[in-house]
Amino acid sequence: MTSSTTDAPRPDVEPAAGATTNGGGPLGVVKRAFGMESASVLVATVALILVIGAIHPDFLDPRQLRDVLQQSVYVAILAAGVAFLLAMREIDLSVGAIFGLTLICSAILMRDGWNPWVAVVAGVVLGALLGLANALIVQVFRIPAIVATLATLSMFRGLSLALSNGQQVVGLPLDHAFFDIFGGRVLGIPVSVLVLVVVAIVLTFVLRTTPFGYRIRSIGSNPDAAAFSGISVARVRIQALMLMGGLAGLAGMLGLAFFGSGDPNIGSGFELLAIAAAVIGGTQLRGGSATVVGAMLGAVLLSVVTSGLVYFNIPVNWSSFATGAVILIAVGIDSLLRRRREARAAAAGL
Amino acid sequence: MFALEAQHVRKTYGGVTALADAGLRVRPGTVHALLGENGAGKSTLVKIITGAVRPDAGVLRLEGSDVSFSDTADAARHGVAVVSQELSLFPDLDVLSNMFPMREPRRGPFVDRRRMAALARPILDQLGLRVSLKDRVGDLSLAQRQLLEVAKALVTDPRVLILDEPTSALDSKTAEVLLDILRVLRDRQVAVVFVSHILEEVMALCDEVTILRDGRTVLDAAPLAGLTIPKIVESMLGERHAELAETRPEATVDLSGTVGAPDGSGVLRVQDVSVEDRLEGVSLTAAPGEVVGMAGVAGAGHQVVLELVAGLRQPSSGQVLLPDGSPAPKGLRAAIARGVALVTGDRRRLGLMLDKPIWDNAGQVRSVALARDGLLVRKGALRRRAGEHAGRVNLRTSSLDKSAGLLSGGNQQKVVLMKWLQTQPSVLLLDDPTRGVDIGAKAEMHGLVRSVAEAGAVVLLCSTDLDELATLCDRVFVLHHGRVCAELAGETLRQHEILAAMNTGSVATA
């Protein structure tokens, strides 16, 4: 490292160097699709299912597993959006409330005679607009998103209660094709789960191959350097919060199709489950990276825990405690493993 | 009798000698200037005196008795206090709490505010700081906070007080306040060490001077009365620097095709630009192929010019024309889209994503921020382009997948340069680009900067490194109090002239 003229460029900096890490073959494809981080949560989920199944074989009944998956869909979609936000060092606490409010609003529109398809599109758009409202509050008042969305969490939830008078919204046209399709199954698989898979593919693609996805991760990695490179942090924040709102709206519509009525309290506490799922899935709170598939698997893991606990005759008043303990164990083990992996990588000079 | 005596201090870091044979002798009741060029060893010497760094050899005496500090707290107990200009106050706490950080007098488990007040009040009065002890520090003016910083140091009743490098030139009012403070300190028989690179202030404030050059004391406790700025400059730079730089860096690599060729003249013009309180009627031009430097003491306004070109600041009068012939836009994003690139010395904070691989960093502006690759960013394409540019700038790394944070300072700065070259810039702005990189990497960086210029870009450089300005630049504009006071080129472009003009506002006729 003494002079620029004596050292020729080393051969290992040539572009070919990259080809090796991309990996080939079907295994490589799977690895890339799931990513390192989500591999561990997948293993944990499968292991947990097998353990519960070994003790209570009923749990391995395909119908039971299908229900577990079905129940995880809403938090899974929210968790995917939260993973995006965490990757840019933002957060949205109002996602459960947006989920509930869009569900209630669409239910009311359907009850009042709107075409269900139009009401559903309106619900998703409403979600995105609520996300925009969050973003504008953050932008105009210059307050952190965690504070802004803590306030809107209450407001959106309150709107759900006010618009529905605190009552279940019933009398929906349940024989309409919307309920048939999105509340039904194809080849035994709930359609909402298929939607989840599509969302996972699309969001992973957005995160890894669009300028928007790169900007999200750049900002999370180093906000100052991102701004200095010409990335508008404000604009990306607006886009991300709108995406989050739209996803919450989409989850709300799937919920409406499944439940066939509007409960104004639905989705309470989903925000914390979604954050937990994203973190369990391997998205780090310090930002800079995210995994959509991991966040969704995290939600499935949580769903397995809640459903599995039922089999163990845990007194109902202890189930919340047990859920928390399992989350702590999962995150703790994951963090320890990750640190070891990073230490090894650093030692190898990578 | 000296309050503080450091003799024959030596310190090497790795193979690099920071201090070869440095000494400092400060009398009580005097203000002593510690001067030296960048890298002369000032900050190392201060760190040794304050216990932050242990010397390899040498003697340290306080009032005649040998001492050796294990850490900064130990030095503080012995009566050595530092006022760093990076203010270290807690803005949300009140004045009184700020004066006793971690050493509040106590009564049992409780903080004894009454005794704190009794200790603090006389010191504040003596410094003429008229604030309530309950005022929130965040609400005080900058000048008041600086005073509080001094008051905080005086609470410990130090025998030696080090005022470390003011970060910006003081305006006349603050300078008066500082004079007052120094008068108080002299009365209290404190030995004050004033570390600065702003010679005008030194001339106004100090009694004696010690000058370091290349880790050695070349002027030891000389009374300021017999000195002038040119003489001080002479001592700081020494004889060998008086000659024209012999080794001008040459373009080392062919970067043709990596810089943009905008329509229009290609010349960057700053025309009679003023910015309130910062710049007054500044005009300069920089043509493609040239490396144009800007020098000045901190706060002289040279960095404001960079901010104007980068769109970070708007002129209150006059105009800045980019090489394409139209005015510089509002906002950094727009400027970047117009071909402006900005490399700062603060690469870890402003230049890089340290946890991301090299290829990701390299594509950050072109493919991510500007989305010039279209709607999709392909990892393969990023890697290929990063590989190409890595070869061109001679980046040394085992893999493009290596995190930027694991590279050496010189290689990190090359990655920053790579990411800007991908945008094919027509203007390259450099702000102290080689801060903290070793000598070899610095020479390489200089070669690259020349190569960028050779390829046809306009290069504008601000630097605190006189050698860099004198050897790398074709012309150097020196700013003084917001005005261009000299344009140096050819024969007159030497470190002496730059330093003298920075400090006096006129070209020395030597």
Side-chain angles (χ1 to χ4, degrees), chain B residues 212-498:
Chain B
L212 297 182
R213 184 169 77 229
D214 299 333
R216 292 170 195 279
T217 297
V218 291
L219 193 66
D220 184 15
L224 194 80
L227 291 170
T228 58
I229 287 184
K231 276 189 188 165
I232 292 175
V233 168
E234 194 69 41
S235 301
M236 282 169 68
L237 299 180
E239 280 306 314
R240 61 192 170 80
H241 289 292
E243 302 306 315
L244 255 181
E246 284 159 27
T247 50
R248 295 186 72 81
E250 297 284 328
T252 46
V253 291
D254 181 13
L255 293 176
S256 52
T258 60
V259 304
D263 311 332
S265 62
V267 178
L268 174 77
R269 295 174 199 280
V270 176
Q271 294 175 335
D272 197 23
V273 164
S274 297
V275 173
E276 210 163 313
D277 290 336
R278 306 300 295 271
L279 284 187
E280 239 181 290
V282 168
S283 295
L284 56 87
T285 59
E290 261 190 319
V291 179
V292 174
M294 289 186 294
V297 296
H302 49 307
Q303 274 154 329
V304 178
V305 177
L306 287 191
E307 290 169 12
L308 285 165
V309 177
L312 290 165
R313 203 188 263 277
Q314 301 301 309
S316 39
S317 71
Q319 59 178 352
V320 177
L321 299 176
L322 292 186
D324 58 12
S326 12
K330 203 171 177 178
L332 179 64
R333 275 173 58 75
I336 291 170
R338 292 260 303 277
V340 175
L342 186 53
V343 177
T344 79
D346 199 353
R347 55 192 170 269
R348 296 183 74 84
R349 194 169 76 80
L350 298 177
L352 292 169
M353 303 180 286
L354 297 172
D355 59 335
K356 298 280 182 205
I358 293 165
W359 59 264
D360 200 344
N361 274 288
Q364 200 185 19
V365 186
R366 178 199 157 96
S367 308
V368 176
L370 300 176
R372 288 221 181 126
D373 292 351
L375 291 175
L376 296 184
V377 180
R378 289 200 181 76
K379 190 178 162 188
L382 287 190
R383 297 182 62 93
R384 200 170 330 110
R385 207 175 293 120
E388 266 166 43
H389 281 87
R392 286 196 147 164
V393 304
N394 200 9
L395 181 76
R396 269 178 293 270
T397 173
S398 52
S399 157
L400 292 173
D401 290 315
K402 201 164 176 171
S403 302
L406 296 172
L407 298 172
S408 68
N411 274 318
Q412 283 184 344
Q413 206 61 308
K414 283 185 195 168
V415 174
V416 176
L417 191 62
M418 275 164 62
K419 85 174 190 182
W420 289 110
L421 287 181
Q422 289 199 1
T423 67
Q424 302 199 297
S426 53
V427 179
L428 177 61
L429 305 177
L430 302 161
D431 185 10
D432 230 355
T434 57
R435 189 195 303 166
V437 308
D438 65 65
I439 290 176
K442 193 168 175 173
E444 240 185 302
M445 198 68 204
H446 287 171
L448 284 170
V449 169
R450 279 246 70 103
S451 308
V452 173
E454 212 99 307
V458 171
V459 181
L460 210 51
L461 166 80
C462 275
S463 182
T464 53
D465 183 338
L466 295 176
D467 179 55
E468 182 164 274
L469 287 165
T471 58
L472 179 58
C473 298
D474 299 301
R475 292 182 293 143
V476 171
F477 291 88
V478 182
L479 279 86
H480 188 254
H481 293 318
R483 296 168 179 277
V484 173
C485 68
E487 180 184 343
L488 306 170
E491 291 278 290
T492 59
L493 179 50
R494 293 181 303 176
Q495 295 189 45
H496 274 83
E497 274 76 5
I498 298 173

Side-chain angles (χ1 to χ4, degrees), chain B residues 105-112:
Chain B
R106 300 196 177 194
R107 180 187 291 155
F110 303 107
V111 170
D112 188 350

Side-chain angles (χ1 to χ4, degrees), chain A residues 234-302:
Chain A
R235 193 180 304 176
V236 176
R237 188 192 294 123
I238 290 174
Q239 291 165 342
L241 283 170
M242 283 185 75
L243 173 69
M244 178 73 253
L247 286 171
L250 176 65
M253 297 310 102
L254 293 177
L256 183 59
F258 183 74
F259 297 117
S261 65
D263 176 352
N265 282 311
I266 196 166
S268 299
F270 274 17
E271 53 283 335
L272 296 183
L273 288 176
I275 295 167
V279 172
I280 292 172
T283 297
Q284 289 165 21
L285 291 172
R286 68 171 149 86
S289 67
T291 148
V292 172
V293 175
M296 290 179 169
L297 288 173
V300 174
L301 178 68
L302 289 177

Side-chain angles (χ1 to χ4, degrees), chain A residues 165-256:
Chain A
N165 280 325
Q167 308 283 318
Q168 288 266 348
V169 179
V170 290
L172 309 184
L174 295 180
D175 48 356
H176 188 273
F178 165 70
F179 292 95
D180 280 347
I181 296 175
F182 284 96
R185 291 196 281 273
V186 170
L187 301 174
I189 302 171
V191 171
S192 58
V193 173
L194 297 176
V195 172
L196 179 68
V197 171
V198 172
V199 170
I201 292 169
V202 170
L203 287 185
T204 300
F205 184 77
V206 167
L207 185 66
R208 300 211 179 159
T209 59
T210 65
F212 171 66
Y214 273 85
R215 285 171 194 161
I216 291 249
R217 288 182 287 150
S218 292
I219 291 168
S221 172
N222 185 345
D224 294 328
F228 235 68
S229 300
I231 295 171
S232 165
V233 177
R235 193 180 304 176
V236 176
R237 188 192 294 123
I238 290 174
Q239 291 165 342
L241 283 170
M242 283 185 75
L243 173 69
M244 178 73 253
L247 286 171
L250 176 65
M253 297 310 102
L254 293 177
L256 183 59

